Amino acid sequence: MSSTEMLQIITASGKTVGDHKTDLTPDDMVEMYGHMVMTRALDERMINLQRQGRIGFYVPSTGEEAAQIGSGKLFGDLDWLYPSYRVPGLFLQRGASLDHMVANCYGNQADLCKGRQMPVHYAFGDLNIVSISSPIGTHIIQATGTAMGQKIRGDGGLSACYFGDGGTSSNDFHSGLNFAGVTKAPVLFICTNNQWAISVPIEKQTASETLAIKAVAYGMPGIRVDGNDVLAVHAATKEAAERARAGEGPTLIELMTYRRGPHSSSDDPTRYRGNQADEWLDRDPILRFRKYLEREDIWSQSQEEELIASCKQAVNDAITAVEKLPLPTLESLFTDVYATVPPHLREQYEDLIKHEGSGHEPDPDAAFPL
Ligand SMILES: Cc1ncc(C[n+]2csc(CCOP(=O)(O)OP(=O)(O)O)c2C)c(N)n1
Ligand SMILES: [Mg+2]
C-alpha cells in the first residue's frame, strides 16, 4: 500500500474488501465496538451538558470513533501515548475511568488535573498517557524524544502520537518526524485527517497530494487509511507497531475521516462550510462496523440495544457521581510545584484568600475562547 492509495478492509455496507482476514478475535472486535459506542454516548451527553450550561466547553469526536479505537489494543505497559484532544475513546479503551474524564470537564476535586487544564484535556499518568498539549503539534517532538529514549533503553516500548491534519503544518511536525526518521525511533505518528482545522479546510492546509506522502521526505513509510474503517486502522497501526518494535523506526499513518460536528462547543461551522457532514453520515464508522459484525454473526439487535442502554447508563452514573463535587481548593493553586511552598507564593496565597473573602466572585459566564 502506498502513501497515495487508501487501505480499506470493510466497505460502507459492512462487506470485506478482497479476502482480508483480521487477526482480531470476535471478543476483541465486540470489545472495540463497545468502546466506539461508549465514545459516541459520552460525546452526545457531554455536548448536551455544555448546551445546558452545566460544563463550560467540550470537543466532540462524532464520526471519528474508528480513528480512535483502531490502534488502542496494540499498546502495553512500556508504551507511551501522546494524545490529541479528539481521542476520548482511546482513553476509555486504555482503561481511563469515565468518572475521571467527566470530572475533568467540570474541573472539580475529582479531576486528576485539579482544574488546571482546559476541559477535555485529560491526563492519566498511571496509564502512560501524557497530558494533552493545547498548542498544536508540540507533543510531536515530545513523542519522538520519548521514543529515542525507549530505543536507547532497548526495552521494546514505543510511543504513539495522535494529531490532526492541522498539526502537520506545525514546525514540530517537521522536527519530530525528521529526528524520528534519522534516529529510527520507535514512534507511530497517527494523523487523523478530518479535513478541517477549525475553519481551515485541508486544501488550504497543504499543497501536498496526501499527508501520508510527507513521510517520504523523512525517510519513513507513510500509509493512508480509511479512518472510518476500524479494522483497516487496526491493521495499519499494528504493522507500524511491529516495525517500530523490531527496530525499523517510525511510520506516519494518515487516517481519512471527516469532522462531522463543530470544532468545539464554541464553534459554529455553518459560518464557514455547507452541509458536507451529511455525506459522511453514510460512512459512519460505528454503523459500518456493526454491519460487519452482524454479517459475521458476532452481533445481534438485542445485544445492540443492551449495549446502547448500558453506555448511556454508565455516562449518566459518572455525571451523577461527580457533578456536585466541589471545585479544587484555592490552596491547590499553590501546591505540586515546590516541596515546600516558598515565602513569596505563601504571600500571594494569603492575598488571594483575603481577596476572595472580600466578596469577589469569579464570573460564571466567562466564555471559553476556542
Ligand atoms: C500553535 C497553535 N496554533 C493555533 C491553535 C488554535 N487551534 C486549536 S485547535 C486548532 C485546529 C487543529 O486542527 P487539526 O490539527 O486538524 O485537529 P482537529 O481539531 O481537526 O482534530 C487550532 C488552529 C493552537 N491551539 N495552537
Ligand atoms: Mg483536523
Side-chain angles (χ1 to χ4, degrees):
M1 188 64 54
S2 81
S3 49
T4 51
E5 290 166 70
M6 188 171 79
L7 175 69
Q8 187 181 64
I9 290 176
I10 19 180
T11 64
S13 59
K15 290 188 186 144
T16 7
V17 178
D19 56 358
H20 182 87
K21 294 266 175 293
T22 179
D23 63 324
L24 291 161
T25 65
D27 284 351
D28 286 338
M29 289 193 280
V30 165
E31 188 192 283
M32 287 164 79
Y33 183 69
H35 283 127
M36 290 169 76
V37 172
M38 177 62 95
T39 306
R40 178 81 52 99
L42 178 66
D43 230 45
E44 287 174 352
R45 192 75 176 85
M46 297 308 277
I47 274 287
N48 284 343
L49 281 191
Q50 196 281 336
R51 296 305 188 223
Q52 292 165 354
R54 288 157 71 184
I55 58 171
F57 180 75
Y58 194 69
V59 176
S61 62
T62 298
E64 298 183 32
E65 293 83 358
Q68 304 172 53
I69 304 297
S71 54
K73 284 196 89 60
L74 305 170
F75 307 121
D77 293 346
L78 295 171
D79 301 328
W80 282 87
L81 304 188
Y82 287 79
S84 82
Y85 43 76
R86 222 180 287 282
V87 291
L90 180 69
F91 295 97
L92 291 169
Q93 198 180 13
R94 296 296 302 144
S97 89
L98 267 176
D99 286 12
H100 283 143
M101 291 175 66
V102 174
N104 170 273
C105 295
Y106 284 96
N108 65 24
Q109 283 188 12
D111 171 17
L112 297 177
C113 299
K114 303 187 183 174
R116 294 166 181 171
Q117 255 286 24
M118 280 185 65
V120 200
H121 284 52
Y122 314 106
F124 293 96
D126 54 353
L127 300 175
N128 287 7
I129 301 178
V130 176
S131 177
I132 293 170
S133 303
S134 291
I136 296 299
T138 52
H139 62 314
I140 302 178
I141 47 175
Q142 295 160 9
T144 296
T146 300
M148 286 163 68
Q150 287 167 311
K151 185 173 172 144
I152 293 166
R153 196 182 276 169
D155 61 9
L158 58 74
S159 295
C161 186
Y162 296 79
F163 51 93
D165 41 299
T168 63
S169 296
S170 69
N171 295 336
D172 294 326
F173 173 81
H174 168 72
S175 319
L177 269 73
N178 191 51
F179 264 82
V182 170
T183 59
K184 286 206 177 294
V187 52
L188 273 48
F189 297 110
I190 302 177
C191 174
T192 299
N193 181 356
N194 63 11
Q195 306 185 52
W196 289 91
I198 310 190
S199 54
V200 177
I202 187 71
E203 317 79 78
K204 291 199 176 152
Q205 195 68 248
T206 182
S208 205
E209 192 182 351
T210 69
L211 296 177
I213 205 169
K214 292 179 185 239
V216 176
Y218 301 109
M220 68 180 78
I223 177 161
R224 198 171 215 226
V225 181
D226 183 335
N228 283 8
D229 172 352
V230 74
L231 295 188
V233 177
H234 171 77
T237 48
K238 181 166 185 266
E239 194 184 321
E242 283 167 0
R243 289 188 56 258
R245 292 191 207 286
E248 291 168 32
T251 306
L252 172 62
I253 301 153
E254 176 185 10
L255 305 177
M256 291 303 300
T257 180
Y258 192 81
R259 197 195 77 211
R260 292 222 314 249
H263 168 71
S264 73
S265 53
S266 310
D267 174 43
D268 173 7
T270 62
R271 295 177 62 170
Y272 55 82
R273 68 180 191 188
N275 29 357
Q276 295 137 297
D278 294 349
E279 292 164 29
W280 285 79
L281 284 174
D282 290 344
R283 299 179 222 174
D284 186 278
I286 295 184
L287 191 59
R288 182 186 305 200
F289 197 29
R290 179 181 163 191
K291 284 182 188 161
Y292 170 82
L293 294 175
E294 284 173 352
R295 274 177 185 279
E296 297 287 308
D297 275 334
I298 302 172
W299 197 245
S300 66
Q301 180 62 27
S302 64
Q303 283 170 296
E304 176 75 15
E305 284 162 16
E306 231 173 82
L307 175 67
I308 290 181
S310 73
C311 289
K312 286 187 175 167
Q313 186 63 47
V315 177
N316 279 343
D317 289 349
I319 295 167
T320 309
V322 306
E323 184 169 26
K324 299 272 178 307
L325 295 177
L327 293 174
T329 59
L330 278 182
E331 192 174 14
S332 72
L333 280 172
F334 296 84
T335 53
D336 297 334
V337 177
Y338 295 96
T340 314
V341 179
H344 70 285
L345 285 185
R346 169 67 46 197
E347 201 181 309
Q348 286 180 23
Y349 168 63
E350 279 156 14
D351 282 353
L352 180 66
I353 295 292
K354 261 190 242 147
H355 183 66
E356 286 298 302
S358 68
H360 167 83
E361 291 289 336
D363 175 6
D365 295 324
F368 276 91
L370 292 172

